Amino acid sequence: QVQLVESGGGLVQAGGSLRLSCAASGRTFRGYLMGWFRQAPGKERDFVAHIGWSGLGTRVADSVKDRFSISADNAKNTVILQMNSLKPEDTAVYYCQAKARFSVSAIARSYDYWGQGTQVTVSS
């Protein structure tokens, strides 16, 4: 059974940093595309970043690329989203998602698996 478990969310002041982790288990994820998406109340789920386990297919959304970065630790089956210089508009639930076919995609519904999400709240 595939499991994606996010952690690292919380409440932070504007300008602060958070490091989100996604622990993947339940199968071999080689060849998968791993993504981070976020969803604010009343809004659609938006693309944040994606990466392949080899580092190929790395992309960060233009809106956050100067502040966020994504990395993958093959040994730990963990994908990291490092978020710096956080702003109140970054407040959302952040989801880790996995796409079985390795074709890059920024569309949330094209991914096959997702976790329960972790709340990130940035106060002004």
Side-chain angles (χ1 to χ4, degrees):
Q1 182 178 356
V2 172
Q3 277 197 312
L4 300 175
V5 180
E6 304 97 334
S7 61
L11 174 64
V12 64
Q13 287 188 332
S17 298
L18 284 174
R19 181 180 172 93
L20 304 186
S21 295
C22 171
S25 63
R27 66 168 302 131
T28 299
F29 286 90
R30 178 183 289 182
Y32 275 57
L33 182 72
M34 304 299 295
W36 282 99
F37 292 79
R38 66 185 183 184
Q39 189 166 18
K43 295 189 176 181
E44 294 186 351
R45 191 170 295 191
D46 291 334
F47 168 72
V48 178
H50 61 53
I51 190 170
W53 289 101
S54 64
L56 293 176
T58 300
R59 178 190 170 196
V60 181
D62 289 343
S63 59
V64 299
K65 66 180 180 180
D66 293 334
R67 302 181 292 118
F68 292 9
S69 63
I70 187 171
S71 61
D73 185 333
N74 287 279
K76 297 181 179 180
N77 261 18
T78 299
V79 178
I80 301 295
L81 182 70
Q82 179 66 43
M83 307 187 296
N84 301 322
S85 302
L86 283 161
K87 304 176 180 180
E89 51 263 44
D90 295 319
T91 296
V93 177
Y94 283 70
Y95 295 92
C96 176
Q97 304 192 190
K99 185 171 179 290
R101 299 183 67 180
F102 191 82
S103 56
V104 294
S105 172
I107 302 173
R109 64 178 180 273
S110 71
Y111 286 66
D112 303 286
Y113 306 100
W114 51 91
Q116 82 288 351
T118 185
Q119 176 70 48
V120 171
T121 303
V122 184
S123 63
S124 57

